[in-house]
Short mmCIF file of all heavy atoms in Angstrom, two decimals:
data_model
loop_
_atom_site.label_atom_id
_atom_site.label_comp_id
_atom_site.label_asym_id
_atom_site.label_seq_id
_atom_site.Cartn_x
_atom_site.Cartn_y
_atom_site.Cartn_z
N ALA V 1029 2.36 22.63 10.18
CA ALA V 1029 0.95 22.84 10.41
C ALA V 1029 0.13 22.45 9.19
O ALA V 1029 -0.93 21.84 9.29
CB ALA V 1029 0.65 24.24 10.85
N LEU V 1030 0.61 22.79 8.03
CA LEU V 1030 -0.12 22.46 6.78
C LEU V 1030 -0.16 20.95 6.56
O LEU V 1030 -1.19 20.43 6.10
CB LEU V 1030 0.52 23.16 5.58
CG LEU V 1030 0.24 24.62 5.48
CD1 LEU V 1030 1.14 25.35 4.48
CD2 LEU V 1030 -1.25 24.84 5.06
N VAL V 1031 0.92 20.24 6.94
CA VAL V 1031 0.89 18.77 6.80
C VAL V 1031 -0.21 18.24 7.67
O VAL V 1031 -1.03 17.38 7.24
CB VAL V 1031 2.27 18.17 7.23
CG1 VAL V 1031 2.18 16.68 7.48
CG2 VAL V 1031 3.35 18.49 6.14
N GLU V 1032 -0.37 18.75 8.88
CA GLU V 1032 -1.39 18.25 9.80
C GLU V 1032 -2.77 18.71 9.35
O GLU V 1032 -3.70 17.90 9.37
CB GLU V 1032 -1.09 18.71 11.23
CG GLU V 1032 0.15 18.15 11.80
CD GLU V 1032 0.28 16.67 11.78
OE1 GLU V 1032 -0.74 15.95 12.04
OE2 GLU V 1032 1.40 16.12 11.55
N LYS V 1033 -2.88 19.95 8.86
CA LYS V 1033 -4.16 20.42 8.39
C LYS V 1033 -4.68 19.59 7.20
O LYS V 1033 -5.86 19.27 7.12
CB LYS V 1033 -4.04 21.90 7.94
CG LYS V 1033 -5.35 22.50 7.42
CD LYS V 1033 -5.13 23.96 7.07
CE LYS V 1033 -6.43 24.55 6.55
NZ LYS V 1033 -6.26 25.96 6.23
N PHE V 1034 -3.79 19.26 6.29
CA PHE V 1034 -4.15 18.43 5.13
C PHE V 1034 -4.79 17.14 5.66
O PHE V 1034 -5.79 16.68 5.08
CB PHE V 1034 -2.91 18.09 4.32
CG PHE V 1034 -3.20 17.53 2.94
CD1 PHE V 1034 -3.34 18.30 1.83
CD2 PHE V 1034 -3.40 16.13 2.84
CE1 PHE V 1034 -3.65 17.75 0.59
CE2 PHE V 1034 -3.69 15.59 1.61
CZ PHE V 1034 -3.82 16.39 0.50
N ALA V 1035 -4.18 16.53 6.62
CA ALA V 1035 -4.66 15.22 7.13
C ALA V 1035 -6.01 15.28 7.84
O ALA V 1035 -6.60 14.24 8.10
CB ALA V 1035 -3.57 14.64 8.00
N THR V 1036 -6.42 16.50 8.22
CA THR V 1036 -7.72 16.58 8.93
C THR V 1036 -8.91 16.49 7.90
O THR V 1036 -10.02 16.31 8.30
CB THR V 1036 -7.89 17.90 9.72
OG1 THR V 1036 -7.83 19.02 8.77
CG2 THR V 1036 -6.76 18.05 10.74
N ARG V 1037 -8.58 16.72 6.62
CA ARG V 1037 -9.66 16.62 5.60
C ARG V 1037 -9.83 15.08 5.34
O ARG V 1037 -8.94 14.30 5.46
CB ARG V 1037 -9.24 17.24 4.31
CG ARG V 1037 -9.36 18.80 4.48
CD ARG V 1037 -9.43 19.53 3.15
NE ARG V 1037 -10.47 19.05 2.27
CZ ARG V 1037 -10.57 19.50 1.04
NH1 ARG V 1037 -9.72 20.37 0.55
NH2 ARG V 1037 -11.55 19.08 0.23
N SER V 1038 -11.00 14.80 4.93
CA SER V 1038 -11.40 13.41 4.53
C SER V 1038 -10.94 13.13 3.13
O SER V 1038 -11.14 13.95 2.20
CB SER V 1038 -12.85 13.15 4.69
OG SER V 1038 -13.24 11.99 4.05
N ALA V 1039 -10.34 11.96 2.89
CA ALA V 1039 -9.99 11.59 1.55
C ALA V 1039 -11.22 11.49 0.66
O ALA V 1039 -11.11 11.61 -0.56
CB ALA V 1039 -9.20 10.28 1.55
N GLY V 1040 -12.39 11.31 1.26
CA GLY V 1040 -13.61 11.14 0.51
C GLY V 1040 -14.25 12.46 0.08
O GLY V 1040 -15.24 12.48 -0.60
N GLU V 1041 -13.71 13.58 0.57
CA GLU V 1041 -14.27 14.89 0.23
C GLU V 1041 -13.94 15.22 -1.23
O GLU V 1041 -13.08 14.63 -1.87
CB GLU V 1041 -13.63 15.98 1.14
CG GLU V 1041 -14.08 15.98 2.57
CD GLU V 1041 -13.46 17.07 3.36
OE1 GLU V 1041 -13.25 18.21 2.84
OE2 GLU V 1041 -13.06 16.82 4.48
N GLN V 1042 -14.55 16.35 -1.67
CA GLN V 1042 -14.25 16.87 -2.97
C GLN V 1042 -12.90 17.67 -2.81
O GLN V 1042 -12.69 18.39 -1.94
CB GLN V 1042 -15.32 17.90 -3.41
CG GLN V 1042 -15.15 18.50 -4.76
CD GLN V 1042 -15.39 17.48 -5.88
OE1 GLN V 1042 -16.13 16.51 -5.73
NE2 GLN V 1042 -14.80 17.69 -7.02
N TRP V 1043 -12.00 17.42 -3.80
CA TRP V 1043 -10.66 18.06 -3.78
C TRP V 1043 -10.47 18.85 -5.04
O TRP V 1043 -11.02 18.59 -6.06
CB TRP V 1043 -9.58 16.96 -3.69
CG TRP V 1043 -9.54 16.33 -2.32
CD1 TRP V 1043 -10.40 15.34 -1.88
CD2 TRP V 1043 -8.70 16.64 -1.25
NE1 TRP V 1043 -10.09 15.05 -0.57
CE2 TRP V 1043 -9.05 15.79 -0.17
CE3 TRP V 1043 -7.66 17.56 -1.11
CZ2 TRP V 1043 -8.40 15.86 1.04
CZ3 TRP V 1043 -7.02 17.61 0.13
CH2 TRP V 1043 -7.39 16.78 1.22
N PRO V 1044 -9.66 19.92 -4.92
CA PRO V 1044 -9.43 20.75 -6.11
C PRO V 1044 -8.62 20.02 -7.15
O PRO V 1044 -7.88 19.06 -6.80
CB PRO V 1044 -8.66 21.97 -5.55
CG PRO V 1044 -8.06 21.51 -4.24
CD PRO V 1044 -8.93 20.39 -3.73
N PRO V 1045 -8.69 20.45 -8.37
CA PRO V 1045 -7.85 19.81 -9.42
C PRO V 1045 -6.43 20.20 -9.25
O PRO V 1045 -6.07 21.24 -8.70
CB PRO V 1045 -8.44 20.34 -10.73
CG PRO V 1045 -9.09 21.62 -10.36
CD PRO V 1045 -9.58 21.43 -8.92
N HIS V 1046 -5.56 19.31 -9.75
CA HIS V 1046 -4.11 19.57 -9.76
C HIS V 1046 -3.81 20.22 -11.10
O HIS V 1046 -4.38 19.89 -12.13
CB HIS V 1046 -3.36 18.24 -9.67
CG HIS V 1046 -1.89 18.38 -9.52
ND1 HIS V 1046 -1.08 18.58 -10.65
CD2 HIS V 1046 -1.08 18.37 -8.48
CE1 HIS V 1046 0.19 18.68 -10.19
NE2 HIS V 1046 0.19 18.56 -8.92
N PRO V 1047 -2.89 21.19 -11.14
CA PRO V 1047 -2.63 21.91 -12.42
C PRO V 1047 -2.11 21.00 -13.53
O PRO V 1047 -2.44 21.21 -14.69
CB PRO V 1047 -1.63 22.97 -12.06
CG PRO V 1047 -1.13 22.66 -10.73
CD PRO V 1047 -2.10 21.77 -10.06
N ALA V 1048 -1.37 19.98 -13.19
CA ALA V 1048 -0.86 19.08 -14.24
C ALA V 1048 -1.73 17.79 -14.36
O ALA V 1048 -1.92 17.28 -15.49
CB ALA V 1048 0.58 18.67 -13.94
N PHE V 1049 -2.21 17.22 -13.24
CA PHE V 1049 -2.86 15.96 -13.28
C PHE V 1049 -4.39 16.12 -13.48
O PHE V 1049 -5.11 15.14 -13.74
CB PHE V 1049 -2.66 15.18 -12.00
CG PHE V 1049 -1.25 14.69 -11.81
CD1 PHE V 1049 -0.44 15.20 -10.85
CD2 PHE V 1049 -0.74 13.67 -12.65
CE1 PHE V 1049 0.88 14.77 -10.65
CE2 PHE V 1049 0.56 13.27 -12.49
CZ PHE V 1049 1.37 13.79 -11.53
N GLY V 1050 -4.89 17.32 -13.26
CA GLY V 1050 -6.36 17.57 -13.43
C GLY V 1050 -7.11 17.01 -12.22
O GLY V 1050 -6.67 17.10 -11.10
N SER V 1051 -8.31 16.47 -12.47
CA SER V 1051 -9.18 15.96 -11.41
C SER V 1051 -8.46 14.93 -10.58
O SER V 1051 -7.77 14.00 -11.10
CB SER V 1051 -10.43 15.37 -12.07
OG SER V 1051 -11.25 14.79 -11.06
N MET V 1052 -8.57 15.08 -9.25
CA MET V 1052 -7.86 14.18 -8.32
C MET V 1052 -8.77 13.77 -7.19
O MET V 1052 -9.54 14.61 -6.66
CB MET V 1052 -6.67 14.90 -7.70
CG MET V 1052 -5.57 15.32 -8.70
SD MET V 1052 -4.24 14.18 -8.78
CE MET V 1052 -3.50 14.34 -7.19
N THR V 1053 -8.70 12.49 -6.82
CA THR V 1053 -9.39 12.04 -5.57
C THR V 1053 -8.54 12.44 -4.37
O THR V 1053 -7.36 12.70 -4.47
CB THR V 1053 -9.49 10.51 -5.61
OG1 THR V 1053 -8.23 9.91 -5.55
CG2 THR V 1053 -10.28 10.02 -6.85
N GLY V 1054 -9.14 12.34 -3.21
CA GLY V 1054 -8.44 12.60 -2.00
C GLY V 1054 -7.30 11.57 -1.83
O GLY V 1054 -6.23 11.89 -1.31
N ARG V 1055 -7.67 10.31 -2.13
CA ARG V 1055 -6.63 9.24 -2.02
C ARG V 1055 -5.38 9.61 -2.81
O ARG V 1055 -4.26 9.48 -2.37
CB ARG V 1055 -7.22 7.92 -2.43
CG ARG V 1055 -6.25 6.79 -2.32
CD ARG V 1055 -6.92 5.44 -2.67
NE ARG V 1055 -5.97 4.34 -2.67
CZ ARG V 1055 -5.26 3.92 -3.70
NH1 ARG V 1055 -5.44 4.47 -4.93
NH2 ARG V 1055 -4.44 2.92 -3.54
N ALA V 1056 -5.61 10.04 -4.09
CA ALA V 1056 -4.50 10.43 -4.94
C ALA V 1056 -3.74 11.57 -4.40
O ALA V 1056 -2.50 11.56 -4.41
CB ALA V 1056 -5.01 10.69 -6.38
N TRP V 1057 -4.45 12.60 -3.89
CA TRP V 1057 -3.76 13.77 -3.31
C TRP V 1057 -2.92 13.31 -2.11
O TRP V 1057 -1.80 13.83 -1.97
CB TRP V 1057 -4.81 14.80 -2.86
CG TRP V 1057 -5.17 15.85 -3.82
CD1 TRP V 1057 -6.39 16.03 -4.42
CD2 TRP V 1057 -4.30 16.83 -4.39
NE1 TRP V 1057 -6.35 17.09 -5.28
CE2 TRP V 1057 -5.04 17.65 -5.30
CE3 TRP V 1057 -2.94 17.12 -4.19
CZ2 TRP V 1057 -4.50 18.73 -5.99
CZ3 TRP V 1057 -2.37 18.16 -4.89
CH2 TRP V 1057 -3.16 18.99 -5.77
N GLY V 1058 -3.46 12.43 -1.31
CA GLY V 1058 -2.67 11.99 -0.12
C GLY V 1058 -1.38 11.33 -0.49
O GLY V 1058 -0.32 11.57 0.14
N VAL V 1059 -1.40 10.52 -1.51
CA VAL V 1059 -0.19 9.79 -1.95
C VAL V 1059 0.77 10.86 -2.64
O VAL V 1059 1.97 10.86 -2.40
CB VAL V 1059 -0.50 8.67 -2.93
CG1 VAL V 1059 0.72 8.09 -3.62
CG2 VAL V 1059 -1.30 7.59 -2.18
N LEU V 1060 0.21 11.71 -3.51
CA LEU V 1060 0.99 12.70 -4.21
C LEU V 1060 1.71 13.62 -3.19
O LEU V 1060 2.86 13.91 -3.38
CB LEU V 1060 0.11 13.45 -5.17
CG LEU V 1060 0.88 14.50 -6.06
CD1 LEU V 1060 1.81 13.73 -7.00
CD2 LEU V 1060 -0.10 15.31 -6.82
N VAL V 1061 0.99 14.08 -2.25
CA VAL V 1061 1.59 15.05 -1.28
C VAL V 1061 2.70 14.32 -0.50
O VAL V 1061 3.76 14.86 -0.31
CB VAL V 1061 0.55 15.59 -0.31
CG1 VAL V 1061 1.17 16.25 0.89
CG2 VAL V 1061 -0.36 16.58 -1.04
N TYR V 1062 2.49 13.11 -0.08
CA TYR V 1062 3.54 12.33 0.62
C TYR V 1062 4.74 12.24 -0.33
O TYR V 1062 5.89 12.47 0.06
CB TYR V 1062 3.08 10.91 1.08
CG TYR V 1062 4.27 10.14 1.56
CD1 TYR V 1062 4.65 10.26 2.91
CD2 TYR V 1062 5.05 9.35 0.71
CE1 TYR V 1062 5.77 9.64 3.35
CE2 TYR V 1062 6.20 8.76 1.15
CZ TYR V 1062 6.56 8.88 2.50
OH TYR V 1062 7.70 8.27 2.94
N ARG V 1063 4.54 11.77 -1.57
CA ARG V 1063 5.64 11.56 -2.50
C ARG V 1063 6.40 12.91 -2.82
O ARG V 1063 7.58 12.88 -3.00
CB ARG V 1063 5.14 10.86 -3.77
CG ARG V 1063 4.72 9.38 -3.51
CD ARG V 1063 4.46 8.65 -4.74
NE ARG V 1063 5.77 8.33 -5.36
CZ ARG V 1063 5.95 8.05 -6.62
NH1 ARG V 1063 4.90 8.08 -7.47
NH2 ARG V 1063 7.12 7.83 -7.11
N HIS V 1064 5.60 13.94 -2.91
CA HIS V 1064 6.28 15.24 -3.16
C HIS V 1064 7.18 15.63 -2.02
O HIS V 1064 8.32 16.04 -2.22
CB HIS V 1064 5.22 16.31 -3.48
CG HIS V 1064 5.79 17.63 -3.89
ND1 HIS V 1064 5.11 18.78 -3.63
CD2 HIS V 1064 6.93 17.96 -4.45
CE1 HIS V 1064 5.87 19.82 -4.09
NE2 HIS V 1064 6.96 19.36 -4.57
N CYS V 1065 6.67 15.57 -0.77
CA CYS V 1065 7.49 15.84 0.41
C CYS V 1065 8.73 14.93 0.43
O CYS V 1065 9.83 15.40 0.62
CB CYS V 1065 6.69 15.68 1.67
SG CYS V 1065 5.42 16.98 1.87
N HIS V 1066 8.51 13.63 0.20
CA HIS V 1066 9.61 12.70 0.25
C HIS V 1066 10.66 13.06 -0.80
O HIS V 1066 11.86 13.06 -0.54
CB HIS V 1066 9.06 11.24 -0.05
CG HIS V 1066 10.12 10.27 -0.30
ND1 HIS V 1066 10.92 9.72 0.72
CD2 HIS V 1066 10.55 9.66 -1.47
CE1 HIS V 1066 11.79 8.87 0.18
NE2 HIS V 1066 11.57 8.80 -1.13
N HIS V 1067 10.21 13.40 -2.01
CA HIS V 1067 11.16 13.80 -3.10
C HIS V 1067 12.00 15.04 -2.66
O HIS V 1067 13.18 15.05 -2.83
CB HIS V 1067 10.34 14.10 -4.38
CG HIS V 1067 11.14 14.66 -5.47
ND1 HIS V 1067 11.92 13.90 -6.32
CD2 HIS V 1067 11.24 15.93 -5.92
CE1 HIS V 1067 12.52 14.65 -7.21
NE2 HIS V 1067 12.09 15.91 -7.02
N GLN V 1068 11.31 16.06 -2.13
CA GLN V 1068 12.02 17.27 -1.75
C GLN V 1068 12.94 17.00 -0.59
O GLN V 1068 14.06 17.50 -0.58
CB GLN V 1068 11.01 18.40 -1.47
CG GLN V 1068 10.17 18.78 -2.61
CD GLN V 1068 10.88 19.44 -3.77
OE1 GLN V 1068 10.33 19.63 -4.83
NE2 GLN V 1068 12.14 19.77 -3.64
N PHE V 1069 12.52 16.23 0.40
CA PHE V 1069 13.41 15.93 1.52
C PHE V 1069 14.61 15.12 1.07
O PHE V 1069 15.68 15.34 1.56
CB PHE V 1069 12.59 15.19 2.61
CG PHE V 1069 11.57 16.03 3.35
CD1 PHE V 1069 10.62 15.43 4.12
CD2 PHE V 1069 11.54 17.40 3.16
CE1 PHE V 1069 9.71 16.22 4.80
CE2 PHE V 1069 10.57 18.20 3.83
CZ PHE V 1069 9.64 17.55 4.63
N THR V 1070 14.36 14.19 0.18
CA THR V 1070 15.53 13.36 -0.38
C THR V 1070 16.48 14.31 -1.11
O THR V 1070 17.72 14.10 -1.00
CB THR V 1070 14.97 12.32 -1.32
OG1 THR V 1070 14.07 11.45 -0.59
CG2 THR V 1070 16.12 11.47 -1.91
N GLN V 1071 16.00 15.31 -1.76
CA GLN V 1071 16.83 16.31 -2.46
C GLN V 1071 17.83 16.95 -1.44
O GLN V 1071 18.98 17.25 -1.81
CB GLN V 1071 16.00 17.38 -3.11
CG GLN V 1071 16.78 18.47 -3.82
CD GLN V 1071 15.90 19.54 -4.40
OE1 GLN V 1071 14.71 19.60 -4.16
NE2 GLN V 1071 16.52 20.44 -5.14
#
Side-chain angles (χ1 to χ4, degrees):
L1030 283 165
V1031 165
E1032 297 304 322
K1033 180 179 181 179
F1034 191 95
T1036 65
R1037 286 198 55 188
S1038 166
E1041 289 181 39
Q1042 183 73 25
W1043 288 81
H1046 186 279
F1049 292 112
S1051 177
M1052 299 262 293
T1053 65
R1055 180 177 179 267
W1057 268 116
V1059 171
L1060 185 66
V1061 166
Y1062 173 85
R1063 291 191 73 202
H1064 185 206
C1065 291
H1066 170 72
H1067 173 78
Q1068 297 295 170
F1069 290 167
T1070 301
Q1071 178 182 8

